[in-house]
Amino acid sequence: MTTVLAAVGGVLLFLLKVLGILLLVVLALMVLLLLIPFCADVSWEQDTLTVKAGALGITFPVFQYPKPEPTEESKRKKKPKKAKAAKKPAKEKKPAEPRKKAKLTLNILCTILRGAGTLIRAVFGALRITHIRVCLGVRGEDPAAAARNYGKLQAWLYPVLGVLDRFIYLQFDELRIVPDFGSAEPTVEDRVSLRISARALFIVVAAVRVLAEFWREKVLDVFL
């Protein structure tokens, strides 16, 4: 009997060790994912918007607009979907009594605003917009209109960029905006590309802090 209990205890101890190692590996992977900067490459060229997403600078295409026309091979691969079977009528349930929600007070409203401000600051602080390349031609009905539009764009573009640079990290590789006086055909090829990256760790930490404050001030009782 003692030998059997010792064997069972040894097996349980081994299983606990394996489970602990697996938990440590999962936690390490989660921390690594939070520390790895995720990125997205956005480009607009030749009237086509392309978005690529990935991590560690390696991106893969995830979205394109307008979508490329399907080839004959892709059409053949698509099979007609089977008709779904008719669902059985659900049983009638008795209406549950509505739960009484907490009232929205001034303290709760201030807590919500503080939490929203904390999250916005965390998101803006974690964002990095780099490798910005902008080449745009400002056009008009005639050369005079193109010159006026160019002046208007210059008047508001750089002040806006200055304000954004105070809140978001911006890195320009190219910023070329020129008046395009070609009336028949554009002489400047429009293109915009940039990379958006962020570490999720700072955003997650801020979100946990905000949720803890909401729980302490009983803000969640207003919505649940």
Side-chain angles (χ1 to χ4, degrees), residues 42-182:
V42 182
S43 64
W44 177 72
E45 188 174 357
Q46 296 179 355
D47 296 333
T48 302
L49 176 64
T50 305
V51 179
K52 299 179 180 180
L56 297 175
I58 303 173
T59 57
F60 302 94
V62 295
F63 178 77
Q64 184 176 357
Y65 181 83
K67 294 182 179 180
E69 296 181 359
T71 59
E72 294 182 358
E73 293 182 359
S74 61
K75 291 180 180 179
R76 292 174 183 174
K77 290 181 181 179
K78 290 182 179 180
K79 297 180 180 180
K81 296 181 179 179
K82 296 181 180 180
K84 295 182 179 180
K87 295 182 179 180
K88 297 180 180 180
K91 297 181 179 179
E92 295 184 359
K93 297 182 180 180
K94 296 181 179 180
E97 296 182 359
R99 182 175 178 272
K100 294 182 180 180
K101 295 184 179 181
K103 294 182 179 180
L104 182 64
T105 61
L106 181 60
N107 184 29
I108 292 177
L109 182 60
C110 293
T111 304
I112 294 174
L113 294 177
R114 284 198 306 269
T118 302
L119 284 178
I120 291 173
R121 286 194 300 270
V123 171
F124 284 164
L127 281 179
R128 296 290 186 271
I129 303 179
T130 57
H131 302 295
I132 305 174
R133 294 181 177 272
V134 179
C135 181
L136 295 175
V138 183
R139 303 173 181 86
E141 297 178 355
D142 50 36
R148 288 193 298 269
N149 293 336
Y150 176 76
K152 293 177 182 178
L153 180 61
Q154 294 289 330
W156 68 264
L157 176 62
Y158 291 101
V160 170
L161 290 178
V163 173
L164 290 177
D165 190 53
R166 296 188 60 182
F167 300 98
I168 305 175
Y169 180 84
L170 301 175
Q171 179 188 4
F172 282 87
D173 292 344
E174 180 186 8
L175 179 57
R176 183 167 171 261
I177 299 176
V178 295
D180 190 355
F181 299 115

